[in-house]
Amino acid sequence: MTDIHASKILILDFGSQFSQLIARRVREIGVYSELHAHDMTEAEIHAFQPAGIILSGGPETVTVEGTPRVSPLVFELGVPVLGICYGMQAMTSHFGGKVEASELREFGYAELHHYNDCRLFEGLDDHDGRHRLDVWMSHGDKVTVAAEGFRCVAETETCPIAAIEHREKPWYGVQFHPEVTHTKQGTELLKRFVREICGCEGLWTTGNIVEDMVRRIREQVGEDEVLLGLSGGVDSSVVAALLNRAIGDKLTCVFVDHGLLRKNEGNQVMATFAQHMGIRVIRVDAEDVFLGKLKGESDPERKRKIIGNTFIEVFDQESARLNNIKWLAQGTIYPDVIESAGTKNGKAHLIKSHHNVGGLPEDMKMKLVEPLRELFKDEVRRIGVELGLPREMVYRHPFPGPGLGVRILGEIKKEYADILREADHIFIEELHKADWYHKVSQAFVVFLPVKSVGVTGDGRRYEWVVSLRAVETIDFMTARWAHLPYELLERVSNRIINEISGISRVAYDVSSKPPATIEWE
């Protein structure tokens, strides 16, 4: 049996917006990695047994007291270390080098000249053998004097020490960000560090991950029965397929239809899992229950909590009718784990409640099984395809747990949900036809509880307004509104107004994140 965690990379997070991206890039190279806070204890670092360590970037400065520093243990373990941006500066400061604030803050493209005798850069080139790379910078400080034992191995026009290496130890630092796509050879540089310098094998593959997860599920639950709340979203769908392969008819799914799903989604869920895969799925039609409890409520946070609490109540009622269930499965994924850890440590601020509905009661008798908790979203999708789920299901855009409940501004009514469902269906259908669906990261329609005058034929009408929303993003932490072709927007608008009774006007949201959020509520 292949041990896919045999060689692994530890990433210590100093607060960079790209930290999760480093972990994803390392995994794409075929090596397991985990992201932990920079103040991870020495006992935890020892227990992790990393084959190599990467120090992330961060927004702080090492030029003042009280900002994050590197644990001395990192350099005592005898494993290779790579510092990125702040990580390089923290490494330099740790060994007595000099870091100063730059007169010119450097953000964006830079051309890097590297010394080809450095193992990290050897053979990498974007400019016809001139040892030059196109890289992406994002820093205000820079190393001005390398620490004793280190040498400069790369420079840019404004940054004379843009990369360093230790003369004897496998310790490296780069001022640029190899994890972002703007650094053309960034993945190759990380591969050089992880596979060649750290000596990690490429065991983190989709096939190996599925095999490992099936084995671990069987070891964890044995012959017990497992219950899963199936939402139809990517995460719960992949968990259902994975559990089905691991334990077969020991799995029971409860699908709570809260009446806030996309068009035909409930029937599609039942067709995929109950009919085609033979999984036992109990469908609960709870639209009236949810809409009844939401009546008169317009506050976004309270709406979310009502939907979440009602989901738990309905799910608990159904699960109470089942006997001998000892395990509850959840679609928790690795970013959820990271986010929860950050919030517990007081390192994250609440912007709004997480879109995943539900929560776990403290007196829950069932034990928890979370087979996806080590995986990023892109890994979950690849595993879904490996398990035989329809590609169009696995690669759908994200859909919030409260469903259309966060896309209907103000009070939620059945009339609004029905109108929104039809409009959203038209938008997504036209994106597919125009080959734009997979070019954007997320697209949907928002219902606005305001009316606008329109003209239909010879008559005037006073009907509702909807807004289209489409964004492009890598990590969903920041996003740019998608520059869809005018012809496509016109076609969508015409169809929505002409085909749906009750809509007189269609707008397009051109807000990026930040300052706006992706969802409207």
Side-chain angles (χ1 to χ4, degrees):
M1 181 65 70
T2 303
D3 181 2
I4 59 177
H5 302 89
S7 57
K8 53 195 175 185
I9 298 296
L10 172 63
I11 300 159
L12 294 178
D13 181 15
F14 287 89
S16 169
Q17 61 177 318
F18 303 129
S19 295
Q20 288 192 30
L21 198 52
I22 301 172
R24 286 171 55 195
R25 290 285 178 264
V26 172
R27 292 186 183 196
E28 287 169 5
I29 292 164
V31 176
Y32 180 66
S33 65
E34 282 188 17
L35 182 65
H36 288 269
H38 66 87
D39 55 0
M40 186 181 186
T41 67
E42 292 193 355
E44 290 170 335
I45 295 174
H46 272 299
F48 188 84
Q49 296 184 315
I53 296 175
I54 296 177
L55 311 174
S56 86
E60 303 285 358
T61 173
V62 299
T63 62
V64 299
E65 295 294 326
T67 51
R69 295 295 190 267
V70 185
S71 168
L73 179 63
V74 166
F75 304 105
E76 296 168 5
L77 289 176
V79 301
V81 180
L82 172 64
I84 296 175
C85 197
Y86 184 91
M88 168 180 162
Q89 296 164 12
M91 180 189 297
T92 298
S93 177
H94 178 83
F95 286 105
K98 194 169 184 179
V99 178
E100 296 180 273
S102 300
E103 292 183 8
L104 292 173
R105 296 168 67 84
E106 193 170 23
F107 296 101
Y109 167 81
E111 186 177 282
L112 181 95
H113 173 72
H114 68 85
Y115 310 158
N116 203 44
D117 62 343
C118 173
R119 190 177 178 189
L120 192 64
F121 290 100
E122 188 177 0
L124 298 185
D125 205 329
D126 289 330
H127 294 275
D128 302 323
R130 291 185 291 146
H131 308 323
R132 296 186 184 274
L133 298 175
D134 295 326
V135 301
W136 190 259
M137 293 284 199
S138 179
H139 66 99
D141 297 345
K142 62 184 178 184
V143 174
T144 54
V145 179
E148 185 176 351
F150 287 81
R151 69 176 183 125
C152 172
V153 292
E155 61 190 45
T156 70
E157 186 176 343
T158 59
C159 188
I161 304 179
I164 56 173
E165 75 166 348
H166 194 275
R167 297 179 186 277
E168 299 175 1
K169 309 283 188 181
W171 299 337
Y172 305 86
V174 294
Q175 186 57 67
F176 58 92
H177 287 271
E179 69 273 24
V180 302
T181 54
H182 305 294
T183 297
K184 291 182 180 178
Q185 297 266 30
T187 298
E188 187 58 39
L189 184 144
L190 289 172
K191 185 176 181 181
R192 182 77 49 84
F193 176 74
V194 169
R195 297 289 293 273
E196 296 183 20
I197 295 173
C198 297
C200 294
E201 295 182 73
L203 303 176
W204 190 255
T205 64
T206 302
N208 284 346
I209 294 169
V210 170
E211 182 182 340
D212 180 73
M213 286 181 165
V214 167
R215 175 183 58 80
R216 287 200 282 168
I217 289 168
R218 289 171 178 167
E219 289 177 355
Q220 185 177 8
V221 307
E223 295 297 315
D224 295 342
E225 296 197 21
V226 178
L227 177 66
L228 170 66
L230 182 61
S231 69
V234 174
D235 301 335
S236 72
S237 297
V238 173
V239 171
L242 189 59
L243 289 168
N244 184 51
R245 177 172 293 191
I247 61 175
D249 60 8
K250 299 289 185 184
L251 170 65
T252 299
C253 296
V254 173
F255 169 45
V256 177
D257 186 345
H258 49 37
L260 298 169
L261 298 173
R262 290 166 284 200
K263 186 176 181 179
N264 299 326
E265 188 164 20
N267 294 335
Q268 289 168 358
V269 169
M270 295 304 294
T272 298
F273 294 98
Q275 297 170 30
H276 297 161
M277 298 181 69
I279 298 174
R280 184 187 179 200
V281 182
I282 300 171
R283 181 175 185 173
V284 185
D285 183 359
E287 180 182 48
D288 291 343
V289 175
F290 278 84
L291 292 180
K293 295 205 173 187
L294 287 163
K295 187 175 181 179
E297 185 55 70
S298 59
D299 180 78
E301 280 297 307
R302 285 200 291 269
K303 285 196 302 183
R304 266 192 211 87
K305 287 175 181 174
I306 289 170
I307 294 172
N309 292 337
T310 306
F311 182 92
I312 295 171
E313 290 171 14
V314 174
F315 185 79
D316 282 350
Q317 288 170 8
E318 290 302 316
S319 60
R321 295 175 184 154
L322 303 169
N323 297 319
N324 302 320
I325 302 284
K326 294 185 178 179
W327 294 85
L328 175 66
Q330 283 205 145
T332 307
I333 63 174
Y334 193 44
D336 299 332
V337 176
I338 296 170
E339 187 177 310
S340 296
T343 302
K344 286 177 185 174
N345 292 334
K347 296 173 184 173
H349 297 283
L350 177 67
I351 296 175
K352 59 186 176 183
S353 298
H354 200 275
H355 287 314
N356 289 334
V357 299
L360 299 176
E362 294 180 4
D363 59 349
M364 187 178 77
K365 295 181 176 61
M366 289 182 285
K367 292 174 284 187
L368 204 57
V369 54
E370 299 174 302
L372 306 182
R373 64 181 287 114
E374 286 185 344
L375 303 184
F376 286 104
K377 193 75 167 192
D378 50 342
E379 295 171 316
V380 173
R381 294 186 195 278
R382 288 197 292 272
I383 282 174
V385 173
E386 178 83 7
L387 290 165
L389 289 176
R391 189 175 183 85
E392 59 271 19
M393 168 185 274
V394 172
Y395 280 91
R396 281 191 309 180
H397 293 171
F399 189 62
L404 302 181
V406 294
R407 296 176 180 174
I408 298 171
L409 302 194
E411 184 182 2
I412 298 171
K413 297 181 180 180
K414 179 172 172 51
E415 172 200 354
Y416 302 167
D418 289 342
I419 289 174
L420 179 55
R421 243 187 295 274
E422 294 297 329
D424 190 76
H425 179 73
I426 288 172
F427 187 27
I428 299 304
E429 188 174 70
E430 289 297 333
L431 285 171
H432 277 295
K433 285 181 182 177
D435 196 29
W436 265 91
Y437 183 80
H438 293 294
K439 294 178 184 176
V440 300
S441 307
Q442 192 170 2
F444 53 90
V445 179
V446 179
F447 180 90
L448 309 182
V450 293
K451 287 191 172 184
S452 167
V453 174
V455 179
T456 306
D458 294 326
R460 289 160 64 86
R461 66 182 190 184
Y462 190 55
E463 303 290 3
W464 301 111
V465 179
V466 297
S467 176
L468 311 179
R469 176 76 158 142
V471 297
E472 298 168 348
T473 179
I474 294 174
D475 55 12
F476 289 89
M477 295 173 66
T478 61
R480 186 188 83 155
W481 64 275
H483 294 197
L484 299 179
Y486 290 153
E487 297 81 3
L488 173 57
L489 292 171
E490 182 179 34
R491 192 159 57 247
V492 173
S493 175
N494 286 340
R495 281 196 61 191
I496 288 175
I497 292 172
N498 290 331
E499 296 177 26
I500 303 173
S501 175
I503 296 177
S504 66
R505 194 173 298 270
V506 175
Y508 186 50
D509 182 354
V510 294
S511 312
S512 291
K513 176 186 180 181
T517 53
I518 294 176
E519 298 286 351
W520 277 40
E521 285 194 347

